[in-house]
Each structure stands twice: as structure tokens, then as C-alpha cells.
Amino acid sequence: MTGLHIPDHPVVADRLTRMRDVKTTPSEFRVILKSLAPFLVYEAARGLPTELKEVVTPCGRAKGKLLTQRVVLFPILRAGLGLLDGALQVFPEARVGFIGAYRDETTFQPVEYHRSGPKDLRDCAVFVLDPMLATGGSAVFAINKVKEMGAVAIRLVSVLAAPMGVDAMHKAHPDVPIVVAAVDPELNEKMYIVPGLGDAGDRFFGT
Ligand code: PRP
Ligand code: URA
């Protein structure tokens, strides 16, 4: 799985429209983002490797499949936390790492302030979670970091992207598929996605 994936689903469209609405309160925003996240993570999970497994049911034997890679979720703080609960609904067994990075208000470059999580990501399926892919600086940076930790099977799960962010990701990490609910036309002079939904972290945390 590579490239850009935009799920064509009425529930995804509904949730995104509600999140965009300036009248949506932080508590509503949290609930909506939590309910959107599983749809995006489900889409990003396509193509995960599986192995055949036979199990004994109460009524017989069934041939099935099990995922072979351990799943690690990497929300980019702060706003990526908004996708975490929903992602854990899809992968309750996942391990969770964190990359704390904020975008400098003048240079728009990511500034890292925290990193924790499993040290060795070599045999893992890594899902980087960040609702906004604007210039792409934060996502490119975070994926550089998980690659330094050995990750090779990486997916980026976002809610909204701008063409600049998608291009930056394709250039820096062509191997990493991106799942996003929509790609908006442009960025404004403060590098916010337009029409977008505003500052995802501020809307989620009510700051
Ligand atoms: C936001 C968002 C992304 C980043 C996207 O984080 O959550 O991490 O901006 O912008 P980029 O693609 O241009 O890097 P922000 O810096 O506002 O920090 P926050 O999540 O703590 O609010
Ligand atoms: N970060 C956000 O939270 N929103 C944007 O539109 C761009 C970056």
C-alpha cells in the first residue's frame, strides 16, 4: 500500500463536516474525532500482512488469518492524541509511542520536545497519527524519527491535508501511505489549511 487514500464513506464525510464547523465545541470535537479515527485507521490497515491459522471453535475447526506484525501507534503530540482512542478501538493490543513536536510559529518548522515508546520498531506496523498535514514538516519529521528506530512498515493517518503536505510526504517518504479524510486546496499565510478546521490541538483541548 502506497500513495494517498481518501475513504469514500458517508460517515467519514459527516464527521469531517462536523469537525470543520466553527460552532462545534471542544467536547463535541473530541467525540467526533474519536468516532472518525477508526474509519481512517481501518483504511490504513489494508494490506497488513497475515498468516494462516486454524482455530478450534465450539463447533468445529476454522481456517483463518492472524496479523503477523505488532502494531505500534505513534500520535504526534498534542493533536495526534485526538486520534489515539479511536485507533485503540481498532487495535486494542497496540503499543503506543509518542512524539511531541510543535510547529514554530515563525519558521513553521517542527520543534521536538518529547519522544518515548518501543525502542525497536523493525518488525512492527507503525501508524503515525496526526490530524493535520499542512506543510508536512511535522509528519516528515516524525516519520524520520520512527525510521531511525527501525520502522519500515509505516502509515500516516490524518484527517485533513493540504497539497503541500502531501507533496512533502511523497518526496521525503514515498514508501509511506497516507490516509486522510480530505485534501483541502491551500494554506494561508500562517500555514493553516484553508478552509480546514482551524488549529486541531486548540479545538481538541479547548485552548
Ligand atoms: C499541528 C498539527 C500538526 C502540525 C501540522 O500541530 O497537529 O502536528 O501542526 O502542520 P505541518 O504539516 O505544517 O507541520 P501544532 O504545531 O499546532 O501543535 P499541537 O498539536 O501541539 O497543537
Ligand atoms: N495545524 C493545525 O492544527 N491546523 C492547520 O490548519 C495547520 C496546522
Side-chain angles (χ1 to χ4, degrees), residues 38-154:
F39 288 87
L40 302 173
V41 173
Y42 168 90
E43 193 64 31
R46 282 187 199 283
L48 283 179
T50 55
E51 63 187 4
L52 297 175
K53 168 85 177 168
E54 189 172 274
V55 292
V56 179
T57 79
C59 304
R61 302 181 80 85
K63 288 192 171 69
K65 292 177 182 176
L66 292 177
L67 296 172
T68 56
Q69 291 177 322
R70 286 190 296 182
V71 172
V72 183
L73 307 172
F74 258 95
I76 304 179
L77 307 178
R78 294 174 303 165
L81 286 177
L83 290 163
L84 181 60
D85 273 357
L88 283 168
Q89 284 175 15
V90 180
F91 293 117
E93 73 284 12
R95 292 180 297 162
V96 182
F98 299 94
I99 293 176
Y102 68 89
R103 204 174 65 158
D104 183 275
E105 281 178 10
T106 47
T107 65
F108 307 115
Q109 294 304 305
V111 181
E112 188 181 25
Y113 57 86
H114 178 81
R115 198 182 328 157
S116 61
K119 295 282 173 290
D120 186 356
L121 300 175
R122 259 176 299 183
D123 298 319
C124 301
V126 173
F127 291 69
V128 174
L129 310 175
D130 192 332
M132 307 306 275
L133 180 63
T135 66
S138 304
V140 167
F141 175 84
I143 290 168
N144 283 338
K145 296 300 162 194
V146 296
K147 283 187 173 176
E148 282 171 21
M149 296 157 82
V152 288
I154 307 165

Side-chain angles (χ1 to χ4, degrees), residues 161-164 183-188 191-196:
M164 183 177 174
V183 180
D184 279 3
E186 57 191 355
L187 298 173
N188 66 16
M191 298 295 162
Y192 276 86
I193 298 173
V194 180

